Amino acid sequence: MTQSKKWTWMMLKENIHTKILNGTYAPDDKLPKDADLAQEYGCSRSTIQRAMSELSHMGVVDRRRKGGTCVVPLRETRAMITIPIISKEIAQQGKTHTYKILHRAIAIAPAHVLAGFKVPAATKMLHLQSVHFADNVPYIYEDRWVNFKSIPAVLDVDFSVENANEWLVKNRPYSDWTLSMHAINAPQDIAQIMHIGKDHAILVIERFTWHQNTPVTAVKLYTHSGYSLNTQG
Amino acid sequence: MTQSKKWTWMMLKENIHTKILNGTYAPDDKLPKDADLAQEYGCSRSTIQRAMSELSHMGVVDRRRKGGTCVVPLRETRAMITIPIISKEIAQQGKTHTYKILHRAIAIAPAHVLAGFKVPAATKMLHLQSVHFADNVPYIYEDRWVNFKSIPAVLDVDFSVENANEWLVKNRPYSDWTLSMHAINAPQDIAQIMHIGKDHAILVIERFTWHQNTPVTAVKLYTHSGYSLNTQG
DNA sequence: AAGTGGTCTAGACCACTGA
DNA sequence: CAGTGGTCTAGACCACTTG
C-alpha cells in the first residue's frame, strides 16, 4: 500500500504519528518491528529507525530491545524551551538593554544554594545582584552566586560594566544544569527594584550549573510583570 | 592523537563538547568538516554526523551546508520540559488524585481563546472548569474550552466522572500545540477554589492544541501554591 | 537463548548556500 | 558551481531484555 513513494525519515515520522493519532495504532498496541516496517514502506531499516527514535524521543512510542515498539497510552506533552540570553531577547524586541549591578560581596552561600548544588559544607561564594533593563524599564532582576573557586578570575571582573551571565557563559561554560520555574509574590525589596507593587506575581527561573561536577553558579531570575515563556511543538 | 579508541556517537558528542567548553574550539571558531573529523577520530562520517547533529540540536554549534560547523558564541540554555499528566504526577507523589467538575456550558469562546486559536469568527465551544485534588487538597484548577465541532462526541461525555484532559488525550489526540507559562495573582474566584489567599502568586500553564489545523482545545492550568516545573540537562 | 532495537560502516546521492 | 552538511542504503554486529 505504501510503496512506490520515496519516504524520508521525516515523512515516515509524520505518517506513523498520524496512524497513531487516528487510531490505526491504538494506545498500548505493538507496532511491527523495524524490519517489517522497512519492508512495508520500501525503505531501509535505518530510515525507520530514525523516524521511530524521534517518536520515542517525543514520548509517542516506547521502544525496548526484544520488547518491540508500543504506543504510549497517556502521552505527556514534551516541549523544548529556550532560556534566552537576556540582552539578545531585549534586542529582539527592538529595545535597548542596559544593566546595573546593585550588590557585590563574598559571603557564605545560603543553605538553599548549597542544597541546590548538593554541596554539604558551608562555602564562600561571590554574590552578585543586578538588574536588566529594557529601554530603562526593569526587565529581570538577577540574584546570583558564583563559586569563584571554580573560576578565580571572576573576582577580578568589573561587573559594573560587564554582564555576569554573559561573562560566565564566555569564560566558564557549564556542562550540567538544573532548571526550575515557579511563581512567587514579589517581596518588598524586589518589588521596589522592579517598580511593581509588593506581592505582585512574578515568574522565577532558577538555574544551577556545574562544570564536570564542580558547582559554577546558581542564579534566580525574577522576571518582569507579564513575562512569559513560550514554546510550541 | 585520538585514534585506536572505539568512539560511539555519544562519546564523540561529549568529547567535542568538552573541547568547546575548555576552549580548544573557541566561540565563533570553525570546526573541521565532518569528513576530516571522521578521519581524525578514526570513525565513519555517519558517526560524526550523529554527534554533531546532537550538538547542533543542543544549540552548541551551528551547522550549515557549505558554511561548515561553527561554535555558537553566546549559547542559550535549551531544556526539554515535560508537562505531566496530572493524575500520574499526583500518583507519583504517593497521593490520591480526585477530580471535580465545577462548570459545564456551551458558549461563545472569549476573545483570547479565539485569538490563541487564530480563529477570527466567534465560535461556540464547550466550556469546562474543574479542579484536581491531591489527597483532597486542591492541586490544579483547569479552565478549558473544547472545540466540539472537531469532536462532537465530547458533548455526550459525563465529565463529572471522567477527567477532561485524559478523555481528550485518548479520544482526540493533537498534532500541534503552543505552550505558555507565566505568573499571575490569583483572582478572587480562583483563590477560593484553590484555598489560597486572594492575589497569591500562581504559575499558569496555558496550552492550545490543534489537530491538523483544526482547533481542539485551549486550557489554562492554574497550579497550586508552591508548584514548580523542573528539568535538567 | 533468541528476538528486537541501537549503533557503526562505507559509499552514494541530494540540497542547500556561500564564494 | 563547488563545497559542505543531510539523508539514504545494505549489511554487520552489539546490547539489552524478555520468554
Side-chain angles (χ1 to χ4, degrees):
Chain A
M1 54 166 287
T2 34
Q3 62 274 38
S4 84
K5 182 170 175 178
K6 254 308 210 190
W7 292 94
T8 64
W9 69 263
M10 188 72 92
M11 290 158 57
L12 281 175
K13 185 190 81 172
E14 277 159 21
N15 187 274
I16 295 169
H17 193 190
T18 301
K19 287 190 178 175
I20 289 168
L21 293 176
N22 72 18
T24 307
Y25 298 120
D28 282 322
D29 271 10
K30 192 165 162 182
L31 273 68
K33 65 183 180 196
D34 292 5
D36 290 351
L37 282 174
Q39 195 165 16
E40 176 183 339
Y41 283 96
C43 64
S44 78
R45 186 163 82 84
S46 319
T47 309
I48 296 286
Q49 154 73 27
R50 176 76 197 267
M52 297 304 278
S53 82
E54 291 278 326
L55 290 174
S56 167
H57 200 68
M58 288 164 64
V60 172
V61 299
D62 186 29
R63 278 162 79 72
R64 293 185 202 178
R65 284 154 154 146
K66 168 87 181 179
T69 304
C70 299
V71 178
V72 171
L74 269 182
R75 168 194 164 207
E76 299 162 320
T77 297
R78 290 191 192 164
M80 185 71 101
I81 59 167
T82 300
I83 308 296
I85 301 286
I86 299 171
S87 63
K88 273 194 193 172
E89 182 180 41
I90 291 172
Q92 263 178 0
Q93 296 170 21
K95 296 182 178 171
T96 304
H97 171 248
T98 50
Y99 162 83
K100 186 178 167 191
I101 186 147
L102 304 180
H103 177 76
R104 180 193 181 282
I106 291 173
I108 293 184
H112 83 268
V113 169
L114 298 171
F117 276 137
K118 294 157 205 152
V119 168
T123 307
K124 282 195 172 180
M125 297 195 187
L126 176 63
H127 188 198
L128 297 168
Q129 293 174 315
S130 48
V131 198
H132 297 262
F133 300 88
D135 281 353
N136 296 315
V137 175
Y139 192 81
I140 282 184
Y141 169 66
E142 175 180 326
D143 187 354
R144 180 186 295 273
W145 291 85
V146 183
N147 179 25
F148 56 80
K149 288 179 192 97
S150 84
I151 174 150
V154 75
L155 295 176
D156 301 324
V157 178
D158 180 3
F159 284 114
S160 63
V161 183
E162 187 116 25
N163 169 333
N165 181 47
E166 294 178 17
W167 187 89
L168 280 167
V169 170
K170 283 180 202 151
N171 293 278
R172 171 40 84 216
Y174 49 87
S175 55
D176 308 281
W177 44 269
T178 64
L179 197 64
S180 153
M181 287 162 286
H182 55 276
I184 65 163
N185 291 98
Q188 181 61 52
D189 53 342
I190 293 177
Q192 200 160 359
I193 292 164
M194 298 297 286
H195 298 179
I196 54 178
K198 181 172 178 312
D199 293 331
H200 198 106
I202 47 186
L203 179 67
V204 180
I205 302 170
E206 185 169 13
R207 179 169 41 178
F208 289 89
T209 68
W210 291 260
H211 188 67
Q212 288 153 10
N213 296 321
T214 305
V216 173
T217 187
V219 62
K220 283 195 185 189
L221 301 174
Y222 298 83
T223 66
H224 70 92
S225 165
Y227 189 91
S228 77
L229 273 171
N230 304 300
T231 182
Q232 60 186 296
Chain B
M1 52 167 288
T2 33
Q3 63 273 38
S4 83
K5 182 170 175 178
K6 253 310 209 190
W7 292 95
T8 64
W9 69 264
M10 188 72 91
M11 290 157 57
L12 280 175
K13 185 190 82 174
E14 278 160 20
N15 187 275
I16 295 169
H17 193 189
T18 300
K19 287 189 180 175
I20 289 169
L21 293 177
N22 73 18
T24 306
Y25 298 121
D28 281 322
D29 271 10
K30 192 165 161 182
L31 273 70
K33 65 185 179 195
D34 292 6
D36 290 350
L37 282 174
Q39 195 167 14
E40 175 182 338
Y41 282 97
C43 64
S44 78
R45 185 162 84 83
S46 319
T47 308
I48 295 287
Q49 154 73 25
R50 177 75 197 268
M52 297 305 278
S53 84
E54 291 278 326
L55 290 174
S56 167
H57 200 67
M58 289 164 63
V60 172
V61 299
D62 186 28
R63 277 162 80 73
R64 294 185 201 178
R65 285 156 156 147
K66 167 88 180 180
T69 304
C70 298
V71 178
V72 171
L74 269 182
R75 169 194 164 207
E76 299 162 321
T77 296
R78 290 191 190 163
M80 184 70 100
I81 60 167
T82 300
I83 307 297
I85 302 285
I86 298 172
S87 63
K88 272 194 193 172
E89 182 180 40
I90 292 173
Q92 264 178 1
Q93 297 169 21
K95 296 181 178 170
T96 305
H97 171 247
T98 51
Y99 161 83
K100 188 177 168 191
I101 185 146
L102 304 179
H103 178 76
R104 178 193 183 284
I106 291 173
I108 293 185
H112 82 268
V113 169
L114 298 172
F117 276 138
K118 293 157 206 151
V119 167
T123 308
K124 283 195 174 181
M125 298 196 186
L126 177 63
H127 188 198
L128 297 168
Q129 293 174 316
S130 49
V131 197
H132 296 263
F133 299 88
D135 282 353
N136 296 315
V137 176
Y139 192 81
I140 283 184
Y141 169 67
E142 175 179 327
D143 188 354
R144 179 184 297 272
W145 291 84
V146 183
N147 179 25
F148 56 81
K149 287 180 193 99
S150 84
I151 174 153
V154 75
L155 295 177
D156 302 324
V157 179
D158 180 2
F159 284 115
S160 63
V161 184
E162 188 115 24
N163 168 333
N165 180 47
E166 293 178 16
W167 187 89
L168 280 167
V169 171
K170 283 178 202 153
N171 293 277
R172 171 37 86 215
Y174 50 86
S175 55
D176 308 280
W177 44 270
T178 63
L179 196 66
S180 152
M181 287 162 285
H182 56 276
I184 66 162
N185 292 98
Q188 181 62 51
D189 53 343
I190 292 177
Q192 200 160 356
I193 292 164
M194 296 300 285
H195 298 179
I196 55 179
K198 180 173 178 313
D199 292 333
H200 198 108
I202 47 187
L203 178 67
V204 180
I205 302 170
E206 185 168 13
R207 179 168 40 178
F208 290 89
T209 69
W210 291 261
H211 188 67
Q212 288 153 11
N213 296 321
T214 305
V216 174
T217 187
V219 61
K220 282 195 184 188
L221 301 174
Y222 298 84
T223 66
H224 70 90
S225 164
Y227 189 91
S228 76
L229 273 170
N230 304 301
T231 183
Q232 60 187 297

